[in-house]
Amino acid sequence: MNGAPEATSGTVELFTAFLAAAVVVALISRRLGLPYTVALVVFGLGVAILAPGIRFEVTPDLVLLVLLPGLVFEAAFHTDIPSLRKTLGGIVVLAVPGVLITAAVVALVLNVVTGLPLDLALVVGAMVAATDPVAVIATFKRLGAPRSLATLIEGESLFNDGTAFVVFAIALRAVTQPVGWGEAISSFVVTLVASIVIGAVAGFVASRVVARVDDHLIETTISVLLAYGTYVIADSFHESGVIATVVAGMTLGSYGRRIGMGPRTRDAIDIVWDFLSFLLTALVFLLVGLAITVGSLVEAAGAIAVCIVAVLGARAVVTYGLVGIGARLVAPDRPIPEGWLHVLFWAGLRGAVAVALALSLPLALPQRAHLQAITFGIVLFTLLAQGSTIGWVIAHTVGRPRPDTD
């Protein structure tokens, strides 16, 4: 009879400890000028090293169903649609062919250099193909980087998460059974379209309901229900919950705001989601640090180093090739500034999505622990090396924005 109360008490104590750690680390990181997400990862990693007996099981359900929907919804809801339209071409390039190229390059390099079977190497490529700009957006705001550049990087992350999830599912299926190119392409397109439809319908319905309600508490609750409900519905149909949630958030944030939200409701929803975003982000990056074990990283050090080079190489091809050269060909009178390309290249961090996918690998998958270690190593490198220096890159390549670059 005492087991359940004790378990509940332990969960509350753990959650309280996480909150306290998040607040303290965030305050210290502000004083040091370090992105607090990077500081949280370092703190979690330090706890795992100094107190190995303290282990917290980071399950895929915790990340995928509790943390991730709220994070992607908040970013989508607050997306600046006018700026998004200006950078839509670049976002599409980064989020679709950019993800596919990264996954392919990582898989081929891992296969050729380390001998890892190509199907397993493609699983790793899919896991690390999506970017996570959470660690750099705060730096963007602090340094006053151009809004369009920040929207480009945020928009890339919003949409490439969904692309990476679809590629990951196809890659996992290819490990157990042959998957032809035609089947892979059709599966990708069907999932993409179906997920967009689910998100758009859910966002439209929620927007119409909000327009008929004049109670900021109920309307705010509807936004939370939309975030998690859309994810659950899409997932139950075996579609992409991430893509559906992103579309739902953008629909409510643009259409819903325009047709039926009063000033009090807008303020309430913004405050609630700002708080939830801070809380969820803090928990995600603390858990990232706790999920990584130094021993596994040492054993996979060679493969991690190879994969880091592949990830950076693929990012360079996508950034300077597809985006940079493509923009010059399409709009020679308005090329993307070279400084923007440098920032875009170095801002390609990997984070919560990569960790979530690694944790969700089936227990029966060959070399599961090795694949996870490679992924965790790449996440750690990008967060520590790129996340801690992105401010320097922005300051020295972009500087303060001019009025015409917003």
Side-chain angles (χ1 to χ4, degrees):
M1 293 293 292
N2 293 331
E6 290 178 0
T8 302
S9 176
T11 301
V12 173
E13 291 174 1
L14 184 62
F15 181 70
T16 304
F18 276 176
L19 285 182
V23 171
V24 172
V25 173
L27 289 174
I28 294 175
S29 65
R30 287 185 64 182
R31 297 293 296 271
L32 298 177
L34 185 71
Y36 80 94
T37 48
V38 175
L40 288 166
V41 172
V42 173
F43 177 82
L45 186 61
V47 171
I49 295 173
L50 300 177
I54 301 176
R55 300 301 300 167
F56 180 78
E57 184 180 359
V58 186
T59 65
D61 285 346
L62 173 64
V63 179
L64 293 176
L65 300 179
V66 178
L67 304 179
L68 196 58
L71 286 173
V72 298
F73 181 88
E74 186 275 335
F77 181 78
H78 287 120
T79 297
D80 186 340
I81 299 299
S83 294
L84 184 68
R85 291 196 185 101
K86 295 178 183 178
T87 58
L88 186 59
I91 290 173
V92 171
V93 169
L94 291 166
V96 183
V99 168
L100 298 176
I101 289 173
T102 301
V105 169
V106 171
L108 289 174
V109 171
L110 270 178
N111 173 252
V112 172
V113 178
T114 70
L116 187 69
L118 188 58
D119 53 356
L120 296 179
L122 184 57
V123 172
V124 175
M127 288 192 292
V128 301
T131 58
D132 186 344
V134 173
V136 302
I137 293 303
T139 305
F140 271 58
K141 295 177 180 178
R142 177 168 55 85
L143 295 179
R147 180 182 300 174
S148 294
L149 176 57
T151 302
L152 176 61
I153 293 174
E154 285 187 293
E156 174 197 4
S157 177
L158 279 175
F159 292 103
N160 73 9
D161 286 352
T163 306
F165 267 79
V166 177
V167 175
F168 175 74
I170 295 172
L172 268 186
R173 198 182 345 156
V175 174
T176 57
Q177 63 185 41
V179 177
W181 283 105
E183 181 185 356
I185 294 173
S186 63
S187 176
F188 180 86
V189 173
V190 168
T191 300
L192 187 65
V193 173
S195 302
I196 291 174
V197 170
I198 292 172
V201 171
F204 176 79
V205 171
S207 297
R208 300 304 301 182
V209 173
V210 165
R212 294 176 176 274
V213 177
D214 188 21
D215 188 314
H216 67 284
L217 295 177
I218 295 177
E219 293 172 81
T220 303
T221 304
I222 289 173
S223 73
V224 178
L225 176 62
L226 178 64
Y228 288 92
T230 303
Y231 192 99
V232 170
I233 291 172
D235 189 63
S236 66
F237 284 104
H238 305 290
E239 307 300 343
S240 173
V242 171
I243 295 177
T245 303
V246 166
V247 174
M250 293 180 67
T251 303
L252 183 66
S254 56
Y255 176 69
R257 275 182 184 268
R258 189 174 68 251
I259 68 166
M261 285 187 192
R264 190 176 185 188
T265 296
R266 293 194 193 100
D267 291 342
I269 291 180
D270 286 341
I271 291 172
V272 167
W273 277 106
D274 282 346
F275 166 70
L276 288 177
S277 175
F278 172 81
L279 179 62
L280 295 175
T281 300
L283 291 176
V284 164
F285 284 92
L286 272 174
L287 294 176
V288 168
L290 291 172
I292 297 173
T293 59
V294 176
S296 64
L297 295 181
V298 172
E299 293 178 2
I304 291 172
V306 167
C307 214
I308 288 172
V309 173
V311 167
L312 293 176
R315 184 69 178 177
V317 170
V318 172
T319 300
Y320 297 106
L322 291 185
V323 178
I325 297 177
R328 291 181 180 277
L329 293 176
V330 174
D333 57 326
R334 289 182 59 85
I336 295 179
E338 185 177 349
W340 284 31
L341 295 177
H342 298 329
V343 173
L344 187 62
F345 165 71
W346 200 241
L349 280 68
R350 272 62 184 174
V353 171
V355 171
L357 293 177
L359 293 170
S360 69
L361 290 174
L363 295 176
L365 186 72
Q367 303 189 53
R368 179 177 185 268
H370 183 59
L371 303 185
Q372 287 181 325
I374 295 174
T375 304
F376 292 157
I378 295 168
V379 170
L380 192 60
F381 171 83
T382 62
L383 288 176
L384 297 183
Q386 295 174 245
S388 61
T389 57
I390 187 64
W392 184 91
V393 175
I394 294 172
H396 287 77
T397 61
V398 176
R400 305 295 299 182
R402 301 186 303 275
D404 61 342
T405 61
D406 285 343

